[in-house]
Amino acid sequence: MNWFLLLAAVAVGAVIPIQGALNARLGAAMVHPMQATLVSYIGGTIACIVALLVAQASLPDWKRVTGIDWYLYCGGFLGVIFVSGMLYLMPKVGIANMLAAAILGQLVMSLVFDHFGFFGGLVIEVTPSRIIGVLLLLLGLYFIQR
């Protein structure tokens, strides 16, 4: 495994608490949490368009957008669940508790996805060391929320 790529993944993950804190403030400023989710996604859409312009890439054409399998749109739906859940839960449980719990959920599901190679992903079998890693994160969540 390339350590630079893992370091990049850590850096990408470091923006999640910032996003969560901003979205929690946004949620407090709106009448309903789903309004805050919508505003957050509008900001994300603008950022995607700017990134496409900077990369000198075009927007996807309509034929390509309508030609993909329906379930590929579920990523956006699942993103709404995640962002809305963060908006609702973060002010109630705190940033560290929310993210530790969310990461635990992500890792458990990731182990399942890796093990079976769902959606054409790389197959990486569940091993005792991977299970111990998740259990240690569970222990970490216990100590973080204590």
Side-chain angles (χ1 to χ4, degrees):
M1 185 66 61
N2 185 329
W3 286 101
F4 176 75
L5 294 177
L6 289 177
L7 184 60
V10 169
V12 168
V15 305
I16 299 299
I18 300 166
Q19 179 196 29
L22 291 172
N23 282 344
R25 294 279 313 266
L26 181 60
M30 296 288 119
V31 175
H32 191 278
M34 289 308 296
Q35 292 173 329
T37 301
L38 176 63
V39 171
S40 178
Y41 272 83
I42 290 170
T45 300
I46 292 168
C48 283
I49 291 170
V50 169
L52 284 170
L53 292 172
V54 169
Q56 298 179 343
S58 63
L59 294 173
D61 63 72
W62 186 249
K63 184 176 180 180
R64 185 173 300 273
V65 169
T66 59
I68 61 175
D69 292 328
W70 67 269
Y71 65 88
L72 296 177
Y73 289 98
C74 292
F77 172 76
L78 295 172
V80 168
I81 292 172
F82 182 74
V83 170
S84 298
M86 299 257 294
L87 279 163
Y88 179 76
L89 294 169
M90 204 169 272
K92 295 176 178 0
V93 301
I95 294 171
N97 288 334
M98 176 63 211
L99 290 178
I103 291 167
L104 179 62
Q106 291 170 2
L107 281 178
V108 169
M109 188 59 73
S110 295
L111 285 179
V112 173
F113 268 64
D114 278 354
H115 185 77
F116 294 105
F118 288 148
F119 299 116
L122 184 64
V123 175
I124 303 173
E125 291 184 15
V126 173
T127 62
S129 66
R130 295 182 109 205
I131 292 171
I132 290 169
V134 171
L135 291 175
L136 287 172
L137 184 58
L138 178 61
L139 184 63
L141 173 60
Y142 170 77
F143 283 111
I144 289 170
Q145 65 81 34
R146 227 175 136 200

